[in-house]
Each structure stands twice: as structure tokens, then as C-alpha cells.
Amino acid sequence: CKKSCDFCSCVDNAEYRITLADGSQQDCEWLVRNDDGTNERIANFCFADDGVSASDVGNECILSCGFCYFPPTRSPTRAPTENPTDNPSTGPSAVPSLEPSLPPLAAPSSQPTTTPSSIPSVSPTMPPTRKPSEFPS
């Protein structure tokens, strides 16, 4: 799928089974179930004969074969995530959430935002001044 759309859903096909030489079948997780032999199993099962392209196993066991591809973000985040989720979403939600993900901070930030809000404030941030400012703000 990476060749056709430059993005893959990073999950193994839970229904897919790898047929071994002895006729037994294993799920995708078998490739990485224990460290002993993992690299050899991935090399033998995930790649096509050319050693570069994904095999049928590689196309079905994308996560276990290590073929997940995440395009780079447009801009870096300011800091790493402190508590990453155990169950990340695979894409943006169809509609915004009704409540914020995080509660507002108790104190204002030390730096003003670099981009203004697209909607006006509910209440003014400061009381009106007694006289106009010398320069427009």
C-alpha cells in the first residue's frame, strides 16, 4: 500500500496466517514473538525474493515486519508527549470533540501565543484604559 498511496494503516491483518515449511500456520505476531530469531524470520518471510520489496507476508503483517511508514509532520512539536496514548487514532476524527482533551491550565502561559485565535474572546482580558494609547495596538 505504501507504493500506491504513500501511507499504510499500521496494523497486522489478524486473519492472515503464515504457512511454514512443515505445514503449520502462524499469525503475524509469530514473526516478533520472541527476540531469538526475529531478524531471521523477518528477513525470510517479510521480503520478496529481491530482498527489497514486501512479500505477501510483508503486505499482510505490516506492523510485525516493521513496514509502518508515517510521513513527517509539517512542523515539529515543541516538546515530546509526556503521556502517549495506548490506543492512538489512525487519522483525524470526523467531527471535533465536545470537550477539550485537557483542562485549562490554572495559570496563564509565560509567553503569548504567536497566532491569534480565529474567534473573539468571551470577555475582555483587561479593563478599558482611561485614555487612548499613543500608538495603535
Side-chain angles (χ1 to χ4, degrees):
C1 67
K2 184 177 169 187
K3 285 183 180 178
S4 62
C5 67
D6 206 29
F7 179 76
C8 295
S9 155
C10 191
V11 294
D12 291 335
N13 178 347
E15 306 294 317
Y16 186 75
R17 295 295 176 258
I18 302 163
T19 303
L20 303 181
D22 65 3
S24 65
Q25 293 189 330
Q26 299 288 338
D27 61 4
C28 292
E29 191 179 293
W30 169 80
L31 294 163
V32 293
R33 194 161 286 139
N34 61 49
D35 290 339
D36 189 33
T38 294
N39 291 339
E40 185 177 333
R41 286 190 298 275
I42 289 173
N44 290 336
F45 289 95
C46 295
F47 293 92
D49 292 336
D50 65 6
V52 178
S53 305
S55 65
D56 289 342
V57 173
N59 286 320
E60 297 295 331
C61 303
I62 295 169
L63 177 62
S64 293
C65 286
F67 292 160
C68 294
Y69 172 75
F70 299 104
T73 57
R74 293 178 189 212
S75 60
T77 57
R78 292 180 189 257
T81 303
E82 290 182 25
N83 297 312
T85 180
D86 290 333
N87 187 16
S89 59
T90 58
S93 58
V95 294
S97 56
L98 298 175
E99 295 181 18
S101 303
L102 300 170
L105 298 174
S109 59
S110 60
Q111 296 290 322
T113 181
T114 56
T115 53
S117 169
S118 61
I119 57 173
S121 301
V122 174
S123 60
T125 55
M126 298 183 349
T129 58
R130 294 182 191 257
K131 63 179 187 170
S133 59
E134 198 172 313
F135 301 100
S137 57

